[in-house]
Amino acid sequence: MPTDVRCRVETDESSGLVRLTGVLDRLEVGTVRAGLLARLCARPGPVVADLTGLEMPDPAARGVFAEVRREVLDWPAADLLLCDPTGTVDGAPAWPTLEGATAGLAAAPMAAVVNADFPPAVEAAREARHLVTEGCRRWGLDELAEPGCIAVTELVGNVVAHAHTAMTVRLAPRDDTLHLAVRDHSSRQPTFAGPAPVDTVGGRGLLLIDTVARRWGSSRVPDGKVVWCVLYAADEAGLGG
């Protein structure tokens, strides 16, 4: 290992395991955050961070794991689990051994995730709507098909209009909610200033998402961002009643 590398993040491409070795201090928090988010972007499902070979002398730096978990919990089918032999890290499910953490990963309920890559073309919105419609039908969330299509149209449309990069559309159910996310490769963050004037042309994408989704947000990740939203079946039932 080069002497100037204090903390290394190594990904097992065949599984949801990320190994961290070296020394985690405040200077290395960004490295750890970026490495974990990169893996969570690339692979649907929970990820295990193995801290067995990691020294953590700075208690403040340990908070990066809780921070990353909070960041991804509303993403489709995402979570962060830990193998932490020290028992000193809070804010994420943890096991003292890798065997235990791996068992926890295997036991984690994996949603029927839908994941698809698209170019930044207008046709991507139509194909994404098809994914949402079929997913909601399969998962018994028919009432969320229409608002889900509205949301994914705007998420994809923002990439086509502003990011101009390839994108990954991901969706998954969780109980009676639908989680949607679009990952692109632009660092430009979406902005939302509230309802637009009635005579405004365009610029209503985030307003529509804010209307149909109970929660939404944008996460900075290596080489871009993830814009996500969460829709609740109960909200649609209330409108229908």
Side-chain angles (χ1 to χ4, degrees):
M1 180 184 300
T3 56
D4 60 341
V5 177
R6 289 177 54 79
C7 183
R8 174 167 290 182
V9 181
E10 298 175 296
T11 297
D12 182 348
E13 298 295 339
S14 64
S15 72
L17 181 63
V18 178
R19 292 184 178 88
L20 288 84
T21 55
V23 178
L24 172 60
D25 55 24
R26 298 187 195 199
L27 294 176
E28 299 298 333
V29 163
T31 298
V32 170
R33 182 182 187 277
L36 293 174
L37 288 176
R39 188 53 177 158
L40 285 155
C41 281
R43 177 185 183 277
V47 164
V48 168
D50 181 7
L51 314 185
T52 304
L54 188 66
E55 297 178 35
M56 298 178 285
D58 186 346
R62 299 171 199 157
V64 66
F65 301 105
E67 175 193 338
V68 169
R69 187 169 191 251
R70 286 194 300 269
E71 189 76 56
V72 306
L73 271 183
D74 278 325
W75 293 10
D79 200 358
L80 178 64
L81 315 179
L82 303 177
C83 169
D84 174 25
T86 69
T88 60
V89 179
D90 297 321
W95 290 261
T97 66
L98 184 56
E99 181 181 12
T102 303
L105 179 65
M110 181 64 179
V113 186
V114 173
N115 199 74
D117 297 324
F118 297 108
V122 293
E123 295 81 6
R126 182 180 68 249
E127 296 181 40
R129 286 193 295 271
H130 176 72
L131 294 179
V132 170
T133 301
E134 287 301 302
C136 287
R137 179 188 58 79
R138 249 187 349 261
W139 302 326
L141 295 171
D142 299 271
E143 63 269 52
L144 290 179
E146 182 177 351
C149 284
I150 291 172
V152 82
T153 297
E154 301 306 328
L155 293 174
V156 169
N158 282 340
V159 177
V160 174
H162 303 296
H164 312 297
T165 74
M167 72 189 90
T168 300
V169 175
R170 186 174 296 168
L171 56 143
R174 189 180 303 168
D175 299 324
D176 64 344
T177 65
L178 178 67
H179 294 243
L180 292 170
V182 176
R183 189 261 203 270
D184 65 47
H185 299 275
S186 168
S187 60
R188 179 177 179 177
Q189 295 294 305
T191 57
F192 175 58
V198 294
D199 58 349
T200 298
V201 177
R204 299 179 183 274
L206 294 179
L207 174 60
L208 288 172
I209 294 171
D210 192 66
T211 300
V212 300
R214 192 180 295 188
R215 297 190 303 281
W216 71 273
S218 179
S219 304
R220 294 182 185 273
V221 300
D223 186 30
K225 63 181 175 294
V226 173
V227 185
W228 55 267
C229 64
V230 184
L231 292 76
Y232 279 70
D235 294 343
E236 299 307 309
L239 290 174

